[in-house]
Amino acid sequence: MGTAVHSIRGELEVVRPFVDRVISGCYSCYSEEDIRNAEKRLGIALPAPVRELYELMADLLIAELSLTPLELLHWEQDFLGFFESPDDSLALGIRKGDDHNQLYQWELHDPEEESYDYWDEFTELCEEGDRKGRQKLARRCCAYWKGIHRRYPDFMPNAKKLEYKAPYNCAVDAYGLFLTLLAANEAYESFQREHSDFSVLLRYDLDYSGERIPGDDGSLRIPEEYFFRLHQRITQEFTPLSSRPQLLALETPGLQMAYRHREQQKLLLMWDWDTALTLLTLDPQTCGLPEILQD
């Protein structure tokens, strides 16, 4: 993987209206001053896509427990984790002195366990609107982890360098976009369950039954041409969310994770582990799959 770290601001700005459509809560995004203060505490400039996530998507991602609040960011020896894996609660982040677009993964561990209560304290402070309390928590968190490093100088997280075919599984910029889209999808599902009187989300199961062909081992498989044809059909009315295809490329050949409708009112999502298209819409009156995809 190359060392270039891409800005994802443009993609996040497209997704932001969809987030505003369905979320509310006590968490908020961060200002430039907030981010600079955190960087000063940590002694590092955060990668550009991480800064953009805190500025534009922190309320969504913190609510989904996918992004560590700025106040709680800390070094674990050489590792700085700002993401949490959505399926196994592992920390993901960067290694000091390494490529800042390279993700590492490790299990969070606090030898004295005090920091495990910081998340609940942070949430209470957000609910009370206590910004000064949050600033005090940030200083206390920083001092606590510095003390941990002094008292346990030999402790080092058992970190794994992530290396996968699809960048969204191992690159900071692509993973940040992936987390945002996944969290937006989950927020829409929650909103839809609570507001069943109108529809803002639609799932369309893809029918592969007529496409499967025998593979070399005798099992049935779906030819790659099917996914390239699907992409061509989608792009008759939608455009890939990112102009840099590698950021949202799926392991499924030919497909992107997200497409935006040309009228900006719909977002089409796909996942490697799912056999369905998910449509998010800003206007319930337009929540329908385009005819070109219904064949």
Side-chain angles (χ1 to χ4, degrees):
M1 184 176 61
T3 59
V5 184
H6 296 289
S7 167
I8 55 174
R9 179 176 296 276
E11 291 86 351
L12 296 179
E13 289 175 344
V14 172
V15 178
R16 185 68 227 186
F18 293 88
V19 174
D20 290 335
R21 180 70 177 82
V22 295
I23 74 161
S24 60
C26 66
Y27 302 116
S28 60
C29 294
Y30 291 92
S31 68
E32 176 66 26
E33 182 181 4
D34 293 330
I35 297 170
R36 285 199 304 268
N37 287 337
E39 291 176 327
K40 184 176 180 180
R41 286 196 306 272
L42 297 165
I44 188 175
L46 295 173
V50 175
R51 296 178 110 261
E52 292 158 356
L53 288 169
Y54 279 111
E55 180 184 348
L56 296 170
M57 289 292 169
D59 53 347
L60 169 70
L61 294 175
I62 291 174
E64 295 291 337
L65 304 181
S66 297
L67 185 70
T68 302
L70 275 180
E71 292 84 350
L72 306 186
L73 280 184
H74 63 273
W75 288 99
E76 291 189 57
Q77 299 297 1
D78 290 341
F79 296 91
L80 177 64
F82 23 75
F83 298 136
E84 291 196 23
S85 174
D87 54 357
D88 49 25
S89 299
L90 296 174
L92 293 99
I94 57 176
R95 182 173 188 172
K96 187 180 296 182
D98 201 351
D99 174 2
H100 279 188
N101 203 33
Q102 171 63 59
L103 273 180
Y104 287 81
Q105 177 180 278
W106 63 94
E107 185 175 355
L108 286 168
H109 177 63
D110 177 359
E112 298 180 4
E113 300 187 357
E114 178 181 323
S115 67
Y116 296 155
D117 295 328
Y118 287 173
W119 258 95
D120 289 339
E121 184 175 347
F122 171 77
T123 296
E124 291 175 4
L125 292 168
C126 288
E127 291 173 343
E128 296 166 0
D130 187 351
R131 286 189 58 83
K132 289 186 177 179
R134 288 167 55 182
Q135 292 168 0
K136 290 179 181 179
L137 176 61
R139 292 192 292 270
R140 195 165 90 245
C141 178
C142 182
Y144 174 76
W145 280 100
K146 286 182 178 178
I148 289 291
H149 297 158
R150 288 194 302 270
R151 293 189 291 276
Y152 303 88
D154 297 328
F155 172 74
M156 181 68 72
N158 184 21
K160 173 187 175 183
K161 184 177 183 178
L162 298 182
E163 297 179 285
Y164 295 97
K165 177 181 177 182
Y168 80 85
N169 280 322
C170 57
V172 169
D173 46 17
Y175 188 77
L177 269 181
F178 159 66
L179 275 187
T180 297
L181 294 169
L182 186 64
N185 186 96
E186 292 173 351
Y188 260 77
E189 289 178 347
S190 297
F191 183 88
Q192 188 67 81
R193 286 192 295 269
E194 297 172 4
H195 302 82
S196 57
D197 51 330
F198 60 90
S199 181
V200 294
L201 177 146
L202 175 69
R203 277 178 55 86
Y204 177 74
D205 291 315
L206 297 171
D207 183 6
Y208 296 147
S209 57
E211 301 289 340
R212 299 181 186 274
I213 60 174
D216 294 337
D217 60 357
S219 62
L220 294 178
R221 66 175 182 85
I222 303 168
E224 292 187 1
E225 292 80 5
Y226 170 81
F227 300 108
F228 284 98
R229 292 199 308 270
L230 178 59
H231 172 80
Q232 290 174 348
R233 290 165 63 190
I234 291 172
T235 52
Q236 289 185 41
E237 294 199 27
F238 291 79
T239 302
L241 174 62
S242 178
S243 60
R244 296 181 294 274
Q246 73 276 13
L247 280 180
L248 291 177
L250 295 176
E251 292 194 5
T252 304
L255 292 175
Q256 291 280 292
M257 188 181 300
Y259 300 81
R260 57 178 176 173
H261 195 265
R262 291 170 183 168
E263 297 178 358
Q264 306 293 322
Q265 296 291 307
K266 300 176 184 178
L267 200 61
L268 190 67
L269 305 179
M270 306 185 70
W271 316 106
D272 275 321
W273 60 85
D274 200 357
T275 59
L277 304 173
T278 301
L279 185 74
L280 311 182
T281 182
L282 295 175
D283 182 3
Q285 300 298 321
T286 66
C287 191
L289 202 67
E291 292 183 6
I292 192 66
L293 297 176
Q294 297 182 30
D295 298 335

